[in-house]
Amino acid sequence: MYRRACRRGRSSCIFHNNIACGDPCRLVSFQIIDFFRKTAIIEGQVFVKINGGIDMNKLQLKRYAKLLAKVGINPKKGQWVIIYPELDQPEFTEWVVEELYRAGAGKVTVQWAHQPISKLKYKYEKEETLSATADWEIERLKLYQKELPAMLYLLSEDPDGLSGIDQNKVSRIRIARSKISKPYHDAMDNHYQWCIAAVPGKAWAKKVFPELQVNRAMEALWDAILKASRADGPDPVREWARHNDNIASRCDYLNKLGLVALEYKASNGTDFRVGLMNESLFLGGGETTLEGRYYNPNIPSEEIFTSPKAGDAEGIVYSTKPLSYQGELIEDFSVRFEKGKVVEVKAKKNQELLEKMISMDEGAAMLGECALIADDSPINNAGILYYNTLFDENASCHLALGRGFSNCVRGYEALSQEELAKLGLNDSMIHVDFMIGCKDMQITGVTAKGERVAIFKDGNWAF
């Protein structure tokens, strides 16, 4: 699941090693210049010219905005909501703000970012400056912990937007800032709603659709986002209610099996076994805070996931899609495990970055998530490589290195961080998903009695 240790886009602001981190790239003040808007009515539908000339169905985009507000965040009456967008879609952000107010939010704050400025900060500012957490940032973290605002992340960054920066410097900055911010995020975990969604950006659109002119690429990416997010129909809110019900039924089946391990095999060389905690739960779709508020952390989402037992993994897995990490792409890589830890990685592109990623802290070389997604899924069937983990992870089975999810442990509400760790839940400053699913993936579940149950056959659900 695209969440937790880096709950927003890993491709732009690597200061977001945890949510609400008060990263330096957001300390820049932005003045948004109003752009020229036009509307037209074609066959009874209202279309709007956004970002300099893209004709989009305004009604459908507003339905998407409503989906993010009501289903993604579902604010409590009077709740504070913070939106984290780039500068790519200010008008759509405006619509989301209005929908949040209509859904009950009492206060909405928009914290704009701009990836090129983030890159400049990494290039010119000293490491000591970027690593420091100011007193006012700590006070802001305290305020977030007290007020528990809901948080909505609108991804649109260039997947290659931070290429060329010193990744060793970036990693050291993340480690330094995480030491201050992580305790606050741990205290907030499972107590507030958050949602990661996406809107098009020009560089991202051209990466996905390089054969199209920029405006047409943006329009094509809008269309792909809406379809992948089940937001292209007349009532996305109702469609998501049905979708969440379907995911919940599969989770119920898996949780009744009493699995203690999963075994993966594929013709590309993947041959891998991972252990599960006795208390592990499979989750997917919507989640509920400890205060009882239901929300959807990822839009789109097709996955069913759990957190495995740290220190219990053997074998090798091969990636089937590129990984966008810290603004660069890692491609064609494999990861080999022994006694639960990564002991070897190989990559045709950015191997050094991959090696740096698994050395961020002790938990970075162990697994925090196993996610199951059918090859015959809407996102995968679209045949689009998004170069964005939010979408690509929902087109393919994936694993995640780093932090596990406490709510994947039965009875987690009554357990401390230390007790969760004793049960086998991994902890880390990172949580990075990478895709391993393919058409001939076979996944077998093993029960405590040694029974073997087919979970995936030829890349799809076996039940």
Side-chain angles (χ1 to χ4, degrees):
M1 190 179 204
Y2 196 52
R3 58 181 281 178
R4 299 305 188 237
C6 183
R7 293 171 172 84
R8 71 180 309 276
R10 297 178 183 84
S11 63
S12 70
C13 174
I14 51 66
F15 288 103
H16 275 88
N17 55 333
N18 286 287
I19 59 108
C21 61
D23 57 89
C25 80
R26 291 191 183 276
L27 308 187
V28 181
S29 297
F30 297 104
Q31 180 181 9
I32 300 174
I33 302 173
D34 194 22
F35 48 85
F36 185 60
R37 303 180 184 179
K38 290 184 178 180
T39 59
I41 300 177
I42 303 173
E43 296 182 350
Q45 296 291 317
V46 177
F47 289 78
V48 60
K49 291 259 188 183
I50 57 177
N51 287 2
I54 305 169
D55 290 316
M56 292 300 299
N57 186 325
K58 184 175 182 179
L59 175 60
Q60 204 61 46
L61 293 181
K62 287 200 168 186
R63 287 170 176 163
Y64 180 46
K66 182 179 180 180
L67 175 71
L68 300 184
K70 296 195 68 173
V71 176
I73 294 297
N74 187 22
K76 295 179 289 186
K77 185 176 181 180
Q79 188 177 13
W80 179 16
V81 182
I82 305 174
I83 307 176
Y84 296 93
E86 292 275 324
L87 298 181
D88 298 294
Q89 299 291 344
E91 186 170 19
F92 180 78
T93 303
E94 176 187 330
W95 298 338
V96 174
V97 170
E98 183 170 11
E99 291 295 342
L100 284 166
Y101 284 127
R102 288 177 174 176
K107 173 184 175 183
V108 180
T109 303
V110 180
Q111 294 194 17
W112 300 98
H114 190 45
Q115 189 184 47
I117 292 180
S118 300
K119 187 172 185 176
L120 291 172
K121 293 180 76 65
Y122 289 123
K123 181 178 180 180
Y124 290 106
E125 291 192 20
K126 293 181 178 179
E127 182 176 326
E128 302 79 51
T129 302
L130 293 174
S131 298
T133 302
D135 290 344
W136 69 265
E137 294 178 272
I138 295 175
E139 291 303 314
R140 181 169 63 178
L141 287 168
K142 291 179 180 178
L143 180 63
Y144 289 168
Q145 183 180 340
K146 177 183 177 181
E147 298 291 335
L148 296 175
M151 300 187 182
L152 173 61
Y153 302 92
L154 296 178
L155 311 183
S156 61
E157 303 91 337
D158 179 0
D160 294 309
L162 296 183
S163 61
I165 64 173
D166 182 352
Q167 292 292 348
N168 290 324
K169 175 182 178 182
V170 170
S171 296
R172 291 192 297 269
I173 292 166
R174 288 189 63 184
I175 292 170
R177 293 181 66 83
S178 178
K179 291 177 181 178
I180 303 299
S181 62
K182 190 174 184 299
Y184 296 99
H185 307 317
D186 288 346
M188 294 171 64
D189 210 17
N190 299 309
H191 288 282
Y192 72 104
Q193 315 96 287
W194 55 273
C195 178
I196 304 173
V199 296
K202 290 181 179 179
W204 180 25
K206 282 294 291 180
K207 181 74 174 181
V208 178
F209 300 103
E211 73 282 2
L212 299 179
Q213 294 182 349
V214 173
N215 284 348
R216 291 306 174 193
M218 289 281 281
E219 189 171 2
L221 187 53
W222 257 128
D223 184 64
I225 288 171
L226 294 179
K227 288 179 179 178
S229 302
R230 300 174 182 264
D232 59 334
D235 193 345
V237 173
R238 180 174 294 181
E239 175 60 26
W240 268 81
R242 289 193 292 263
H243 182 48
N244 278 329
D245 286 344
N246 290 335
I247 291 176
S249 66
R250 289 196 184 276
C251 290
D252 289 342
Y253 173 81
L254 289 168
N255 287 326
K256 290 175 181 177
L257 293 176
L259 300 178
V260 296
L262 294 173
E263 297 176 352
Y264 298 70
K265 290 185 182 294
S267 62
N268 64 3
T270 289
D271 189 353
F272 174 69
R273 181 192 181 279
V274 61
L276 304 179
M277 295 174 281
N278 292 332
E279 299 80 5
S280 289
L281 288 173
F282 287 89
L283 302 176
E287 297 187 7
T288 303
T289 68
L290 288 172
E291 289 71 27
R293 200 68 181 177
Y294 189 76
Y295 69 102
N296 278 266
N298 284 181
I299 294 179
S301 181
E302 301 291 330
E303 66 182 306
I304 291 174
F305 62 93
T306 191
S307 284
K309 186 176 182 179
D312 188 359
E314 298 287 337
I316 190 168
V317 293
Y318 287 82
S319 69
T320 53
K321 295 180 185 293
L323 167 62
S324 180
Y325 176 70
Q326 294 188 173
E328 296 196 52
L329 291 175
I330 303 171
E331 299 182 21
D332 297 323
F333 62 94
S334 63
V335 183
R336 187 164 65 86
F337 295 83
E338 289 182 3
K339 298 180 181 180
K341 288 191 174 183
V342 178
V343 294
E344 181 184 58
V345 293
K346 294 181 179 179
K348 291 185 178 179
K349 181 180 179 181
N350 272 327
Q351 177 165 331
E352 184 178 351
L353 179 58
L354 183 57
E355 291 171 345
K356 177 60 65 175
M357 184 185 83
I358 64 172
S359 64
M360 294 292 286
D361 56 28
E362 184 177 357
M366 292 189 286
L367 288 171
E369 178 188 6
C370 300
L372 307 174
I373 300 97
D375 186 74
D376 184 21
S377 66
I379 298 177
N380 194 48
N381 289 339
I384 298 172
L385 180 60
Y386 287 87
Y387 300 98
N388 180 294
T389 302
L390 175 63
F391 292 86
D392 291 333
E393 73 161 9
N394 281 294
S396 170
C397 287
H398 58 269
L399 303 173
L401 291 164
R403 184 175 182 173
F405 308 143
S406 59
N407 59 342
C408 282
V409 178
R410 189 177 286 104
Y412 76 98
E413 305 94 331
L415 300 174
S416 67
Q417 292 290 330
E418 292 75 17
E419 289 170 327
L420 289 168
K422 287 181 180 179
L423 291 175
L425 185 69
N426 194 32
D427 191 23
S428 174
M429 65 174 288
I430 73 165
H431 177 94
V432 181
D433 304 283
F434 64 98
M435 285 57 77
I436 63 169
C438 56
K439 289 186 177 297
D440 67 350
M441 175 68 74
Q442 315 295 327
I443 302 178
T444 302
V446 182
T447 71
K449 296 180 179 180
E451 298 170 332
R452 300 176 64 80
V453 182
I455 306 299
F456 265 55
K457 181 179 180 181
D458 296 329
N460 290 300
W461 293 105
F463 62 89

